[in-house]
Amino acid sequence: MCGIPWHQRDAYVARLLRLGHKVAICDQLEDPAMARGLVQRGVTEVLTPGSVVREGFLEPAANNFLAALWPTPETLGVCLADASTGEVKLAEVAWGEAASFLSRARVAEWVTPAPDALEDTVGTRLAAAIQGLPGAASPIAVGAFLDASALASRFGAAAMRDLADLPAARAAAAAAVAYLDRVQGAPARQLTRVERWREERTLRYDAATARHLELFQPHPGGESRHTLWHHLNLCVTTLGARRLRAWLERPLVEPTALATRQAGVATWQAAGTARGGFREALRGFPDLDRLAARLACERATPRDLGALRDALARLPGLAARLDGLTGPTVPGARTALAGAPELQGRLARALVDDPPVTSGEGGIVRHGYDAHRDHLHELAHQGKRWIAELESAERARTGIGTLKVGYNRVFGYYLEVTRAHLEKVPAHYERRQTLTGAERFVTPELKARESEVLSAEDKLRAREQELFVALRAEAARSVPLLQGAADALATLDAEADLAEVAARYGWVVPTLTDSDRLMLAGGRHPVVERLLATGEFVPNDCVLDGASRQILLLTGPNMGGKSTYLRQVALCVLLAQMGSAVPAERAEVGVVDRLFTRVGASDRLGAGQSTFMVEMRETADILRAATERSLVLLDELGRGTATYDGLALAWAVTEFLHAAEGPRPRTIFATHYHELTQLAQRLPRLANIQATVREWGDGVVFLHRIGEGAADRSYGIHVAQLAGLPEAVLARAREVLAELEAERTVEHLEPGAARARGAAPQAPVAPAQDPLAARLRGLTLETLTPLAALNLLAAWKREVEGRG
């Protein structure tokens, strides 16, 4: 058990929710003044990570999804419900895609059937799909999934007919609605917008890719400015920020949708002055989407109604800012921003300028709105004025200059007299409390006035609460209209944001095609260039073509910019397909259906997976799911194991990606296995590119320029020298490197061996006597695979070493 300050409860509850806990709110269920004995208390609300609707518990720029999952032998039914906005999305996913799909959804709470009610196979698959994913677990009875009868009344019969082919997803939706109804203590009426989540219409990438590219979260030890989101999100409202994030999380692949998105952004790009005016007029606009959801579920506060009043008053002005613009989203937005003049007028007449956060203490309704409320207010304040005047009157009558009138919750109003003047107290004063230096008294007239004041105040608070509830109910009838306005403003803010980003950063609009070509002229990393001084970042070109240049094998030194090059190509594709301009001089992007990255090293010790196992699992996912429309970016595949094993795996993966019967995705493969560059002679669609350097004295200068051809060295020792390794270690490393480059064996690498070359070499075996000669003659090189050749070389090497 622990106690927290009640006035700071929201901060503590928010911390508990972020940690995945659930919080039950217990409150008094009856008026203490009317109760007999103990006041009855009970649970009035349960706060869970996926069901909260208050702003203080939510991340402003991201959805807060509760995911209900219903597993079947063939598919997984998914319902993603955001209680804070009223959005509901349904999907059915094949088990092979389930883990990747769920990792992209960013779920706060998982609602699943109780494990003991599922068949072993289905239960095992479900557990594997959500293993390791963040979010609170909330198993519930299977019956909640089996009763979908309430969905039609909640979402409409037409919407349910459109989703009739998703029975598993409908079962998940039934459970999500039942769960939210129960924990919120009333029907979750904000859940009104249901749609099919169509994965095939978006560029898909998994959570590993989002981590590798630092889209939203920096690598451990990094800062928020190292993420793409930090530089991309220039939205002036939380509505726009959530819409922009959704676009980045789910970039488009359909040509028509892409053209519409680009046209909307282009409208704002061409109207720089109008864009600046609109963004300034929109700045500070409240989160109308979440406010509407709180209205629908009867959680809106007086301050929410005040924000709604002010927001509705601003809508006509925002609509007027669209005059003269011709983008595809403008006509619909102008209609949606017509607002609700009658509701705005009612709220303006009813509410004080700055309504309180809670409704229980009054101070909500403006004078003149309701005659009965005004009468009660006058009664209460007349009594208070009489009491305030009582102090001066009693001082004059009794001659006690220090007499004071006070109030506390235990004794009510009282007259306080210091001990020095107790002999002057009139006989009709009734003693109520003795203090160290004073006495407190009441009079029959004071008690009567107190009863009038307190009674009037109680009635006033009750009347204001009644008026507030009526106003909230009236506003709730306009929720669909408010959601339409919120949707329009979110889109306009996100479009204007992308136009602002392009203008501020000097990005260009890409050409999107239905081909398998990817061309970036003067491409730049959108984050790294913002962190460097102007002009310091070195731009680079990239050309990929499924017919002639499908795989780029990138070699070069450490610190040469290979990983940056991979990431900037991926980020440019994501930006292009979300509708943004890209950091390049010119760009042509053949639409990508899936983006895969294997960049950086990481382990999952909690799941019992080493760095190399994580790398192999991610590579396996790529090889299974990639298509000829995909983009694959691999960085130093195979480095986490023995050299020969890593080289063999990298070689085989490259051949598989290139094979005619394989997936043939556009691929950039950065590697330090220089042996792989020989593949360009055998694989016609593979080209070698390199991160160039210039040797200068005993050191090297990293040019960070990507050029054609293969690098012959990695300059790892030079990088170690820059990092400050001791000179003795560097000298020994150069010695060992010289031995390895001379193809000497480990036995020759004892310290000083390079200086002991005076010893006579062992006489070679005559070719005619060498038992390996016959085996060499027996090989058919045309059919020998690279992996078999490496295995033979390794075996022969061990045999020769054994002779020594």
Side-chain angles (χ1 to χ4, degrees):
M1 295 291 291
C2 67
I4 60 172
W6 179 244
H7 63 283
Q8 294 179 342
R9 62 192 180 278
D10 285 358
Y12 288 94
V13 170
R15 289 174 61 185
L16 291 170
L17 293 173
R18 283 195 295 270
L19 292 171
H21 297 296
K22 301 168 186 175
V23 180
I25 305 296
C26 298
D27 213 340
Q28 294 177 348
L29 301 181
E30 56 183 339
D31 186 344
M34 306 296 293
R36 294 183 178 180
L38 292 176
V39 178
Q40 185 180 358
R41 294 175 174 85
V43 175
T44 56
E45 186 180 5
V46 177
L47 301 176
T48 73
S51 68
V52 289
V53 297
R54 269 187 270 173
E55 294 283 0
F57 302 148
L58 298 164
E59 184 177 341
N63 280 106
N64 190 65
F65 283 126
L66 175 143
L69 308 177
W70 177 246
T72 70
E74 296 79 22
T75 61
L76 177 65
V78 181
C79 171
L80 297 172
D82 187 342
S84 70
T85 64
E87 299 169 78
V88 179
K89 304 178 188 298
L90 304 186
E92 290 189 3
V93 190
W95 282 110
E97 298 283 341
S100 176
F101 174 90
L102 296 177
S103 72
R104 296 193 297 271
R106 200 174 181 276
V107 172
E109 185 174 0
W110 304 93
V111 175
T112 58
D116 56 0
L118 297 175
E119 297 179 3
D120 291 344
T121 304
V122 171
T124 301
R125 282 180 169 179
L126 178 59
I130 60 176
Q131 181 182 12
L133 297 180
S138 300
I140 63 174
V142 171
F145 293 85
L146 303 180
D147 183 11
S149 59
L151 294 182
S153 61
R154 189 68 60 97
F155 302 120
M160 288 298 98
R161 283 195 299 271
D162 292 341
L163 300 168
D165 59 329
L166 300 177
R170 286 159 56 99
V177 170
Y179 179 78
L180 287 173
D181 286 351
R182 180 165 62 87
V183 298
Q184 291 187 355
R189 296 188 181 91
Q190 71 271 36
L191 301 180
T192 56
R193 296 176 289 173
V194 62
E195 63 176 305
R196 184 190 301 258
W197 190 297
R198 297 182 183 274
E199 284 286 280
E200 68 278 5
R201 295 183 178 179
T202 62
L203 187 165
R204 283 167 278 178
Y205 61 87
D206 59 13
T209 294
R211 287 195 306 272
H212 295 158
L213 299 179
E214 296 184 279
L215 296 183
F216 303 104
Q217 296 293 330
H219 291 319
E223 303 173 25
S224 63
R225 65 193 184 102
H226 298 159
T227 66
L228 177 64
W229 180 244
H230 177 82
H231 301 278
L232 190 65
N233 179 25
L234 304 181
C235 292
V236 295
T237 68
T238 54
L239 286 168
R242 274 203 308 280
R243 181 61 50 85
L244 185 71
R245 180 171 181 135
W247 287 356
L248 181 56
E249 289 176 336
R250 293 169 57 79
L252 301 170
V253 297
E254 292 184 334
T256 303
L258 280 167
T260 301
R261 179 81 54 81
Q262 280 193 327
V265 176
T267 298
W268 291 110
Q269 281 183 274
T273 303
R275 181 180 73 243
F278 179 79
R279 282 166 55 83
E280 192 58 38
L282 187 59
R283 195 176 301 278
F285 197 85
D287 194 331
L288 205 54
D289 222 359
R290 285 180 168 165
L291 198 159
R294 291 195 294 276
L295 282 173
C297 66
E298 300 178 358
R299 291 285 190 274
T301 66
R303 186 158 294 175
D304 286 332
L305 289 187
L308 176 61
R309 171 199 60 198
D310 299 340
L312 290 173
R314 294 172 64 180
L315 289 182
L318 291 170
R321 296 267 181 185
L322 303 179
D323 291 344
L325 300 179
T326 57
T329 58
V330 169
R334 192 179 286 114
T335 301
L337 298 183
E342 291 185 9
L343 175 61
Q344 194 278 329
R346 175 69 61 86
L347 293 175
R349 292 192 303 274
L351 298 174
V352 297
D353 290 339
D354 187 17
V357 176
T358 61
S359 61
E361 297 302 318
I364 302 169
V365 179
R366 187 185 297 272
H367 184 78
Y369 175 71
D370 179 74
H372 182 44
R373 176 261 171 208
D374 292 346
H375 174 67
L376 294 172
H377 182 272
E378 186 62 25
L379 285 178
H381 282 74
Q382 277 182 354
K384 285 187 175 181
R385 281 195 297 272
W386 182 89
I387 291 172
E389 293 168 356
L390 177 65
E391 183 174 295
S392 57
E394 287 298 302
R395 282 182 178 180
R397 191 166 67 84
T398 62
I400 303 173
T402 58
L403 183 146
K404 296 187 300 183
V405 174
Y407 174 82
N408 66 35
R409 289 183 178 273
V410 176
F411 295 102
Y413 288 99
Y414 56 81
L415 299 163
E416 184 174 292
V417 179
T418 59
R419 290 192 176 277
H421 297 284
L422 287 179
E423 71 279 0
K424 299 179 182 178
V425 171
H428 68 281
Y429 275 27
E430 300 174 9
R431 181 178 284 106
R432 280 288 182 269
Q433 189 179 15
T434 300
L435 306 178
T436 302
E439 299 275 352
R440 289 176 175 174
F441 303 87
V442 297
T443 67
E445 190 177 13
L446 177 60
K447 295 305 292 181
R449 286 288 187 173
E450 175 188 330
S451 178
E452 291 176 5
V453 167
L454 296 182
S455 175
E457 286 186 336
D458 288 343
K459 291 176 181 178
L460 175 62
R461 283 193 293 267
R463 181 57 180 168
E464 291 216 351
Q465 175 69 16
E466 183 181 334
L467 293 171
F468 163 69
V469 170
L471 284 170
R472 185 171 64 185
E474 181 179 349
R477 290 193 286 274
S478 297
V479 162
L481 182 149
L482 300 177
Q483 289 174 335
D487 182 68
L489 289 174
T491 299
L492 292 172
D493 191 14
E495 288 177 346
D497 171 278
L498 293 181
E500 183 71 19
V501 165
R504 191 177 296 188
Y505 301 159
W507 294 0
V508 300
V509 178
T511 300
L512 296 168
T513 69
D514 197 29
S515 69
D516 56 7
R517 178 175 169 80
L518 172 60
M519 186 281 296
L520 298 172
R524 312 185 300 276
H525 193 294
V527 176
V528 177
E529 77 160 340
R530 303 301 309 162
L531 302 178
L532 299 176
T534 302
E536 281 193 13
F537 188 88
V538 179
N540 280 294
D541 300 342
C542 177
V543 178
L544 281 166
D545 190 317
S548 59
R549 197 176 164 91
Q550 175 214 334
I551 299 177
L552 298 180
L553 194 69
L554 175 58
T555 52
N558 302 99
M559 297 283 294
K562 299 191 302 298
S563 295
T564 299
Y565 182 75
L566 291 178
R567 288 181 168 96
Q568 76 186 38
V569 171
L571 292 172
C572 283
V573 168
L574 286 176
L575 287 169
Q577 292 189 217
M578 73 175 287
S580 171
V582 300
E585 296 172 6
R586 189 162 48 90
E588 177 186 334
V589 178
V591 173
V592 173
D593 66 349
R594 291 185 177 222
L595 174 63
F596 299 96
T597 64
R598 171 82 280 289
V599 181
S602 61
D603 54 30
R604 297 176 192 155
L605 299 181
Q609 297 179 10
S610 66
T611 300
F612 184 65
M613 174 59 78
V614 171
E615 180 179 342
M616 288 298 100
R617 283 189 177 276
E618 292 178 357
T619 304
D621 291 339
I622 292 171
L623 299 184
R624 277 195 301 266
T627 72
E628 61 182 9
R629 303 302 300 272
S630 301
L631 177 62
V632 175
L633 304 173
L634 302 172
D635 190 11
E636 298 187 35
L637 180 67
R639 63 182 168 181
T641 187
T643 302
Y644 282 156
D645 288 352
L647 174 58
L649 286 165
W651 191 297
V653 166
T654 305
E655 287 185 332
F656 180 84
L657 293 173
H658 184 279
E661 66 278 7
R664 295 179 57 171
R666 288 163 285 182
T667 303
I668 306 178
F669 187 173
T671 183
H672 286 291
Y673 293 134
H674 295 281
E675 296 86 345
L676 293 178
T677 60
Q678 303 168 31
L679 285 170
Q681 303 170 17
R682 296 180 49 247
L683 306 180
R685 298 187 307 281
L686 184 145
N688 285 314
I689 58 175
Q690 61 173 314
T692 57
V693 300
R694 179 171 295 171
E695 297 192 26
W696 190 267
D698 293 334
V700 294
V701 177
F702 300 110
L703 302 179
H704 300 120
R705 178 74 67 186
I706 306 299
E708 296 295 319
D712 57 355
R713 299 175 61 188
S714 289
Y715 297 95
I717 294 177
H718 291 86
V719 175
Q721 184 177 14
L722 293 174
L725 265 67
E727 184 55 40
V729 173
L730 296 171
R732 174 59 180 155
R734 295 188 189 98
E735 183 179 83
V736 173
L737 178 62
E739 294 290 339
L740 291 173
E741 289 180 338
E743 298 184 347
R744 301 296 293 271
T745 60
V746 176
E747 284 78 9
H748 295 97
L749 297 182
E750 294 299 327
R755 297 185 293 275
R757 293 293 169 75
Q762 183 178 353
V765 179
Q769 300 172 341
D770 194 332
L772 294 178
R775 287 184 244 175
L776 282 169
R777 294 189 191 98
L779 290 177
T780 305
L781 297 180
E782 290 77 7
T783 61
L784 188 66
T785 66
L787 183 57
L790 284 172
N791 289 332
L792 282 172
L793 284 172
W796 293 343
K797 182 172 179 290
R798 288 193 297 270
E799 184 176 329
V800 171
E801 290 169 355
R803 296 175 185 171

